[in-house]
Amino acid sequence: MTNKELLIQEIESLPSELLTEALDFIRFIKISHARRQLKTDINSNSDTAQQAQTNRYPLHDTQPYRYDDPTEPVALEDWEFLQ
């Protein structure tokens, strides 16, 4: 016999005054499960969002170039693309 059939059998054997309590309990279980699932989804989405944020700014936390005197003239020998 499956769990569903056993549950139906138990419900059918309940006195009518306990049916409301059983229904409330079943609804409570469903809501608790939905909340746990939502927490899990939020946590996995925040991990995904964090990865997306990292991919969006690939140069974040890298060292910038340093220019001591950017207006200083550059000799022709120093131009890499001319060589």
Side-chain angles (χ1 to χ4, degrees):
M1 200 174 262
T2 67
N3 285 338
K4 186 175 183 177
E5 292 169 339
L6 289 170
L7 185 58
I8 291 170
Q9 184 179 358
E10 289 294 327
I11 290 171
E12 288 174 347
S13 68
L14 276 178
S16 60
E17 59 269 4
L18 292 180
L19 285 175
T20 303
E21 194 172 332
L23 179 60
D24 287 343
F25 182 67
I26 290 171
R27 287 180 177 164
F28 168 77
I29 292 171
K30 287 173 66 175
I31 289 171
S32 295
H33 177 71
R35 284 183 180 163
R36 281 192 305 266
Q37 187 65 40
L38 183 61
K39 274 186 180 180
T40 303
D41 291 347
I42 288 172
N43 289 340
S44 67
N45 285 341
S46 68
D47 292 342
T48 305
Q50 192 173 25
Q51 288 173 351
Q53 189 74 5
T54 303
N55 292 340
R56 181 186 288 177
Y57 301 107
L59 297 178
H60 185 71
D61 292 333
T62 60
Q63 293 296 322
Y65 287 107
R66 182 171 169 211
Y67 297 105
D68 293 327
D69 190 4
T71 58
E72 180 181 338
V74 179
L76 283 175
E77 301 86 39
D78 293 336
W79 287 92
E80 293 175 2
F81 77 92
L82 291 177
Q83 295 177 4

